[in-house]
Amino acid sequence: LNAGVSIDAYVAVHCAFVDGLELLLAQAWASNVREPLAKAMLAQCLKDYERHAQFGWLYAKRRAATMTDEVRARVAQGLRQHIETVEFAGYHCVGLATQVDAGPEMTDLQQVQAAGLGAVTAEQEVEIFRQCLERTRSSFAQWGLDLPTVEHPRWGTF
């Protein structure tokens, strides 16, 4: 832990946004799974993803009303930094990778999806990311938190 990082900003970024993104991805995987063992494993994981994301959203909503302008700015800065350094490295969605050739991983996703093991294509992952960020931006705006747009070299403005 870093005492210089606001716990409110940390939870808003890593619990509300990141855990929310992981939940949406896991739901997409579960909707594509045909293999029974993979389906059972994803069903168990979904419970945890739901619980983690729910905590993040409940916490962020509750704390937003008491955030100072400085903390609100830290939330926006934290989310932007996370997206640019982690998400645009392909951490959750390989199609967002900007520093490496993710072609082999994109091919792997197609093979896993075709095998019924619960994957989505890289393009579908990027669309899920876009939807998650839009949902986050909309929800945070209702609480007075303005999140900046970010530019991706291939996918444009998020």
Side-chain angles (χ1 to χ4, degrees), residues 12-25:
V13 172
H14 296 282
C15 299
F17 176 73
V18 172
D19 289 346
L21 175 60
E22 289 175 350
L23 172 60
L24 292 175
L25 287 167

Side-chain angles (χ1 to χ4, degrees), residues 84 88 95-99 150-158:
E84 291 175 343
F88 287 0
L96 290 174
T98 56
Q99 301 296 316
V150 290
E151 291 295 323
H152 190 277
R154 285 189 320 277
W155 295 100
T157 302
F158 284 98

Side-chain angles (χ1 to χ4, degrees), residues 94 100-110:
V94 298
V100 297
D101 173 18
E105 287 79 9
M106 291 182 203
T107 300
D108 291 346
L109 280 177
Q110 290 174 329

Side-chain angles (χ1 to χ4, degrees), residues 88-141:
F88 287 0
Y91 186 77
H92 286 102
C93 305
V94 298
L96 290 174
T98 56
Q99 301 296 316
V100 297
D101 173 18
E105 287 79 9
M106 291 182 203
T107 300
D108 291 346
L109 280 177
Q110 290 174 329
Q111 292 174 342
V112 172
Q113 182 186 34
L117 297 173
V120 294
T121 66
E123 292 81 11
Q124 289 169 318
E125 285 184 342
V126 171
E127 184 55 34
I128 290 166
F129 172 82
R130 185 180 300 278
Q131 291 169 4
C132 181
L133 186 55
E134 288 172 4
R135 182 187 81 167
T136 301
R137 186 174 282 118
S138 174
S139 295
F140 280 15

Side-chain angles (χ1 to χ4, degrees), residues 16-146:
F17 176 73
V18 172
D19 289 346
L21 175 60
E22 289 175 350
L23 172 60
L24 292 175
L25 287 167
Q27 288 170 333
W29 303 331
S31 72
N32 277 343
V33 70
R34 294 185 314 273
E35 161 49 50
L37 180 58
K39 183 177 240 157
M41 290 171 49
L42 276 171
Q44 291 299 312
C45 293
L46 273 171
K47 295 174 189 175
D48 290 335
Y49 285 124
E50 288 171 359
R51 187 176 62 251
H52 295 172
Q54 185 178 41
F55 163 78
W57 284 106
L58 289 172
Y59 182 95
K61 182 179 181 180
R62 178 77 169 226
R63 294 294 298 159
T66 63
M67 287 182 190
T68 64
D69 288 342
E70 178 187 348
V71 173
R72 291 173 194 278
R74 289 169 118 183
V75 170
Q77 176 188 13
L79 185 54
R80 179 185 199 112
Q81 181 180 9
H82 172 81
I83 290 169
E84 291 175 343
T85 61
V86 177
E87 299 305 334
F88 287 0
Y91 186 77
H92 286 102
C93 305
V94 298
L96 290 174
T98 56
Q99 301 296 316
V100 297
D101 173 18
E105 287 79 9
M106 291 182 203
T107 300
D108 291 346
L109 280 177
Q110 290 174 329
Q111 292 174 342
V112 172
Q113 182 186 34
L117 297 173
V120 294
T121 66
E123 292 81 11
Q124 289 169 318
E125 285 184 342
V126 171
E127 184 55 34
I128 290 166
F129 172 82
R130 185 180 300 278
Q131 291 169 4
C132 181
L133 186 55
E134 288 172 4
R135 182 187 81 167
T136 301
R137 186 174 282 118
S138 174
S139 295
F140 280 15
Q142 293 175 20
W143 308 331
L145 297 166
D146 294 320

